[in-house]
Amino acid sequence: MSDNKLNCIGVMTSGGDAPGMNAAVRAVVKTALFYDIDVYAIYHGYQGMLEGGDKIKKMEWGSVGGILHKGGTIIGTARCKEFREREGRLQAAKNLIEKHIDNLVVIGGDGSLTGANLFSEEWPSLVEELLKNDEITKEQAFMHPRLNIVGLVGSIDNDLTGTDMTIGADTALRRISEALDAISSTAASHQRTFVVEVMGRNCGYLALVSALSSGADYVFIPEYPPEQDDWAQALCNKITENKKAGKQKSLIIIAEGAIDKHGNPIKSFEVVEELKNRIHEDARLTILGHVQRGGSPTAFDRYMSTVLGYAAVRHLIDNPDDAESVIIALQKNRVKAIPLMESIRKNQMIPQIISERKFNEAIEMRGGSFKNSLDTFRTLSRAKPNKDAGPKSLNILVMNAGTLAPGMNNAVRTAVKTGIDKGHKIFGVYNGFKGLISDDITPLGWMDVEDWTSTGGAELGTNRKIPDNRDFYEISKNLEKRNIHGLIIIGGFVGYAGAYRLLDKRNEFPAFDMPIVCIPATINNNLPGTVFSIGADTALNSIIEAVDKIKESAVANQRVFVVEVMGCYCGFLAMLSGLATGAERVYVHEKGITLHDLQDDVHLFKNAFMEGRRMGLVVKSEYANKIYTTPFISALYEEDGGEVFDVRQSILGHIQQGGNPSPFDRSLATRMATLGVDHLLKLISDGTKDVVSIGLHGGEFEIFNILDLERKMDVKFERPKEQWWLALEEIVNLFGKSSHSKDQ
Ligand code: ADP
């Protein structure tokens, strides 16, 4: 136990529920218990706080078992009118003081957080009044002079400025994406136009990102209304144009709070009517509604909420005398405490700014990632299919390289469309460098790639070959034959290494003297210069879905599962999936494994099982250790576990590379490829022959010269020297190694 001053924390979920709230509650409870702090769950938000009694329940390790994968919130949420009145807050304060709670983690939207802030500001006067009315003792008043608030933003709309993502938004995007995939297949069969309404009264985030990741033709959001006075005609023109270009189906996404440039609402049924009346389009409307809120949280919502819940308790421990209420936010992939009221105030300004039609200001306030997504969508939606290659037309090659990464298709599709729109000729190379050597190269047209948004796999194929020896001669011949001006490689380490070799051979082969842009795409997420590579998020989701099923199979037995995931020497998939599935132990190559560790771990599991635990989970990265392989570790656990628990190993294998890309990977691929083409064209027009890669750093993109990346790379183990996610091991260990833990 630490010598912190904190004795007791309350945790509650309030307002609209959001998938991932359970992970946050679990993390708050476990972190508090780890530091020997009493922790109470307040059931049904402020309503439960007002009612008191058994609505404020002490939590134990077992109270938050088996909840990570559940949607909604197990401690319930509610809206509470009485809490808006001082009288209600007085009663709430009394109930909290009775349980010694003067630290509160509130997980909710901007209403809940505003309420919490007000409550905290009023607290001293509420205590005074309670004392005056003899409802609390002098000692109680003395013991609880202040109420500390830490807020976590739970909102599927991703509508809070100050944090890059809110709890639940990634899952909502996934639900929308699943629905859009289903709608797209029926739309294509009937050559129809679909109008899909998604949530977002003030914030267009869900509509925008789903439009970007589904390749939608049009999007209506509050922050960016159509530029034309007659928006309906502009829309109809676009759909007519699509048809002329041979497009079978069209998809229009509309946020529920969409408006025109004068601030008048645009309703989804109106869009459908206009399409019918003006161009006789058989448009169908789907209003997605509550499915967007439901279902099991995605990997991101599970691990991000876990990290935020942990950080909330740490903030309370580390700042016992800090009277200011804060929000634990995610900014550029880092967790940060920011002043609560300042962000809420800023946030509440956005609807006002929109109503004043200062749309650019509203877009700026939504942050870099929103703006970048909007810019990309605008570029793509303006792109025209039937551009003739002009006299200044360039010849550009696009290829995948390395192992399969879901999202590769989205990147190729975007590169082809933006390249053609800018008047250039785009060639697709089949099967990576192998195809570049064997001349498996074809011009790609607009419609060839039209339907590549939702498909997993790689339509162009991919291959792990890195060119060598005589290959360079063949490649040079094929490039010269087509007078290629630039190359885009979408792939993992193989792609980067291949690009590097072409650069290295420039003296011998003048055809290689051209710019190359590498776009990071590998499920391993082991490339330098980027926080995420395309495909990693989809792989994480495939892993957690598999592990959910594995865990379900274990209800009847006392069992430890040893799950092996991919990643080569990079432990990203293991660490993040371990965090997202509640693994007690994660083994990665970066941290090493010793026999001593393994024995300690078995011992911990044995103790926990003897205290009543029913299941254990270990996630191991495939190359974590040459000697202590998955079968070895499983055998050791089995032997040392004796009669107490049995062991099953599960090597997940290729399911991790399969599946439709997640919305995050689709939008990442789309944004990176748009930037990739732009940058390649700029390099060509500047006469610069750099070989570069694109990287993502918390919503912003950076471009690195590949020569600079070498310094950031651990070449032997094919991974970056510095990896942001390694810091998360502390949390895995904290939750997993506690011998008290009876969590399932
Ligand atoms: P969300 O937190 O999802 O934005 P609401 O706006 O409905 O959801 O807020 C949830 C609850 O938070 C309300 O029912 C109320 O109890 C409390 N609340 C919201 N705004 C305030 C406020 N200004 N003052 C006091 N309590 C508030």
Side-chain angles (χ1 to χ4, degrees):
M1 142 139 195
S2 67
D3 56 355
N4 60 75
K5 294 191 205 165
L6 204 67
N7 297 316
C8 188
I9 294 179
V11 58
M12 62 188 272
T13 50
S14 169
D17 64 315
M21 281 180 161
N22 284 330
V25 170
R26 173 181 178 271
V28 169
V29 169
K30 287 192 151 210
T31 311
L33 292 177
F34 180 84
Y35 289 109
D36 276 343
I37 299 166
D38 286 345
V39 56
Y40 287 84
I42 299 157
Y43 282 70
H44 305 293
Y46 294 119
Q47 190 61 43
M49 198 188 279
L50 255 104
E51 287 176 30
D54 67 352
K55 292 288 180 333
I56 306 181
K57 257 190 225 156
K58 195 157 182 209
M59 303 301 269
E60 309 295 342
W61 286 95
S63 319
V64 287
I67 65 168
L68 255 181
H69 65 288
K70 290 192 176 154
T73 156
I74 59 142
I75 60 172
T77 180
R79 297 203 153 91
C80 172
K81 253 192 359 234
E82 293 96 313
F83 192 78
R84 291 177 182 270
E85 309 300 327
R86 185 178 162 91
E87 208 48 38
R89 294 192 291 274
L90 194 68
Q91 182 59 39
K94 182 172 179 241
N95 292 337
L96 291 190
I97 289 171
E98 256 170 30
K99 300 276 202 265
H100 309 289
I101 300 169
D102 51 15
N103 293 282
L104 204 55
V105 179
V106 179
I107 308 163
D110 87 354
S112 306
L113 299 177
T114 307
N117 187 65
L118 176 64
F119 192 32
S120 161
E121 283 175 355
E122 271 183 1
W123 183 268
S125 73
L126 295 172
V127 171
E128 205 180 293
E129 192 173 335
L130 288 170
L131 181 63
K132 207 170 79 192
N133 299 345
D134 281 337
E135 300 213 52
I136 56 169
T137 63
K138 249 191 193 154
E139 197 198 351
Q140 281 178 313
F142 178 75
M143 292 289 290
H144 305 290
R146 221 181 25 240
L147 177 70
N148 297 321
I149 300 284
V150 176
L152 301 182
V153 194
S155 160
I156 64 162
D157 293 341
N158 201 27
D159 54 355
L160 198 101
T161 54
T163 189
D164 294 343
M165 279 300 263
T166 57
I167 294 172
D170 189 62
T171 306
L173 277 178
R174 182 155 183 114
R175 293 295 99 82
I176 296 170
S177 167
E178 286 160 358
L180 291 179
D181 286 351
I183 286 168
S184 284
S185 52
T186 156
S189 320
H190 294 280
Q191 308 201 0
R192 260 183 198 143
T193 293
F194 270 85
V195 178
V196 180
E197 181 185 304
V198 303
M199 284 183 171
R201 246 172 273 147
N202 295 310
C203 179
Y205 176 85
L206 291 179
L208 175 61
V209 179
S210 13
L212 190 64
S213 53
S214 62
D217 302 277
Y218 228 82
V219 69
F220 292 96
I221 56 173
E223 297 88 342
Y224 177 65
E227 285 157 10
Q228 304 81 357
D229 264 325
D230 190 354
W231 58 263
Q233 195 51 47
L235 170 69
C236 291
N237 294 346
K238 172 87 183 168
I239 302 302
T240 312
E241 212 172 79
N242 281 350
K243 295 227 148 166
K244 275 196 204 137
K247 225 179 143 177
Q248 303 281 336
K249 60 174 196 235
S250 293
L251 181 61
I252 297 154
I253 298 186
I254 174 164
E256 51 183 343
I259 50 174
D260 68 15
K261 65 189 276 200
H262 304 292
N264 307 309
I266 299 178
K267 293 288 167 202
S268 47
F269 72 86
E270 259 182 277
V271 173
V272 172
E273 287 299 306
E274 294 286 4
L275 287 166
K276 271 188 192 153
N277 296 340
R278 295 195 191 208
I279 53 171
H280 312 293
E281 184 63 23
D282 180 19
R284 299 295 163 101
L285 174 62
T286 305
I287 298 175
L288 288 182
H290 275 76
V291 288
Q292 295 163 86
R293 226 179 246 296
S296 185
T298 56
F300 179 81
D301 271 327
R302 296 186 199 187
Y303 70 71
M304 178 195 54
S305 308
T306 301
V307 171
L308 295 180
Y310 165 80
V313 177
R314 286 304 315 230
H315 181 85
L316 289 168
I317 294 172
D318 297 340
N319 303 277
D321 301 320
D322 188 355
E324 186 174 35
S325 303
V326 297
I327 286 173
I328 304 291
L330 195 70
Q331 290 187 349
K332 296 193 187 298
N333 219 36
R334 294 207 189 296
V335 173
K336 222 176 137 186
I338 57 170
L340 187 148
M341 229 26 232
E342 196 183 309
S343 1
I344 300 277
R345 244 179 244 126
K346 244 178 151 180
N347 212 49
Q348 289 170 344
M349 279 163 62
I350 297 184
Q352 178 62 28
I353 287 171
I354 291 175
S355 74
E356 290 165 12
R357 286 173 274 148
K358 295 179 191 154
F359 300 115
N360 286 337
E361 219 175 290
I363 291 165
E364 286 297 327
M365 286 181 77
R366 288 271 178 242
S369 173
F370 186 94
K371 186 167 184 300
N372 177 267
S373 298
L374 182 59
D375 289 344
T376 309
F377 185 81
R378 290 173 64 181
T379 306
L380 287 174
S381 69
R382 273 198 226 112
K384 295 260 191 310
N386 295 326
K387 283 266 169 76
D388 285 333
K392 288 195 182 152
S393 167
L394 300 168
N395 298 320
I396 292 169
L397 281 191
V398 181
M399 61 185 276
N400 298 321
T403 46
L404 189 63
M408 280 178 158
N409 286 337
N410 303 70
V412 175
R413 175 185 188 267
T414 306
V416 170
K417 286 193 160 196
T418 33
I420 291 175
D421 177 60
K422 291 185 159 68
H424 305 298
K425 206 161 177 193
I426 313 293
F427 294 86
V429 180
Y430 282 86
N431 299 319
F433 283 106
K434 216 171 147 206
L436 195 57
I437 296 160
S438 64
D439 203 22
D440 200 354
I441 300 172
T442 323
L444 287 176
W446 186 278
M447 292 312 296
D448 296 329
V449 295
E450 179 56 32
D451 289 332
W452 290 14
T453 50
S454 60
T455 43
E459 298 283 340
L460 274 187
T462 185
N463 191 276
R464 300 189 65 171
K465 166 96 186 153
I466 303 177
D468 211 348
N469 302 325
R470 208 188 135 68
D471 299 338
F472 297 112
Y473 171 74
E474 299 296 335
I475 293 176
S476 165
K477 212 173 59 183
N478 296 332
L479 293 177
E480 268 172 12
K481 191 161 80 182
R482 292 182 181 79
N483 187 26
I484 297 301
H485 298 95
L487 174 58
I488 292 180
I489 303 175
I490 301 148
F493 189 76
V494 165
Y496 283 47
Y500 187 83
R501 286 196 189 171
L502 295 186
L503 174 68
D504 202 38
K505 291 282 173 187
R506 274 186 186 174
N507 289 342
E508 289 168 57
F509 300 97
F512 301 166
D513 203 17
M514 62 175 174
I516 302 177
V517 173
C518 297
I519 296 179
T522 162
I523 66 163
N524 297 343
N525 203 28
N526 62 341
L527 292 168
T530 192
V531 166
F532 282 105
S533 53
I534 297 163
D537 182 62
T538 308
L540 274 178
N541 279 295
S542 302
I543 294 170
I544 65 155
E545 279 163 26
V547 173
D548 284 351
K549 291 196 180 107
I550 288 171
K551 283 173 106 175
E552 271 167 24
S553 74
V555 273
N557 311 64
Q558 290 204 311
R559 181 169 288 170
V560 173
F561 286 98
V562 180
V563 176
E564 180 185 298
V565 302
M566 286 179 165
C568 296
Y569 288 102
C570 173
F572 170 85
L573 287 178
M575 189 68 79
L576 274 284
S577 65
L579 203 54
T581 53
E584 284 76 25
R585 198 69 181 98
V586 173
Y587 298 127
V588 295
H589 185 266
E590 289 87 344
K591 297 281 176 176
I593 311 176
T594 65
L595 191 57
H596 188 255
D597 290 337
L598 293 175
Q599 283 170 329
D600 268 1
D601 293 340
V602 176
H603 187 67
L604 280 175
F605 272 117
K606 240 175 151 170
N607 282 346
F609 277 106
M610 286 192 293
E611 282 181 28
R613 165 183 283 280
R614 294 208 321 274
M615 205 204 68
L617 178 65
V618 172
V619 177
K620 180 186 155 287
S621 182
E622 56 185 346
Y623 298 167
N625 189 290
K626 238 181 4 210
I627 308 294
Y628 306 136
T629 58
T630 306
F632 178 97
I633 293 174
S634 307
L636 184 122
Y637 268 59
E638 179 82 60
E639 180 62 20
D640 282 8
E643 296 290 302
V644 181
F645 60 86
D646 66 13
V647 180
R648 293 288 183 275
Q649 74 168 35
S650 179
I651 297 174
L652 294 186
H654 283 83
I655 56 161
Q656 294 163 85
Q657 289 176 350
N660 290 354
S662 69
F664 178 81
D665 280 333
R666 294 182 200 193
S667 102
L668 183 64
T670 308
R671 290 188 291 151
M672 280 186 168
T674 311
L675 177 62
V677 171
D678 278 352
H679 194 73
L680 186 77
L681 296 176
K682 184 173 179 307
L683 290 175
I684 297 171
S685 83
D686 292 350
T688 319
K689 312 284 171 63
D690 291 350
V691 177
V692 301
S693 82
I694 295 183
L696 177 74
H697 289 269
E700 318 260 319
F701 292 108
E702 276 184 74
I703 292 172
F704 290 97
N705 193 305
I706 204 146
L707 296 172
D708 296 330
L709 282 188
E710 248 190 319
R711 280 183 289 112
K712 296 173 186 276
M713 189 79 186
D714 177 341
V715 179
K716 184 169 174 209
F717 294 118
E718 296 186 1
R719 67 186 180 218
K721 283 182 185 155
E722 280 178 29
Q723 302 189 93
W724 61 271
W725 50 266
L726 278 170
L728 302 177
E729 197 201 23
E730 187 186 342
I731 308 178
V732 174
N733 284 346
L734 183 149
F735 291 177
K737 278 207 159 175
S738 168
S739 55
H740 314 280
S741 175
K742 288 181 189 157
D743 185 18
Q744 307 295 304

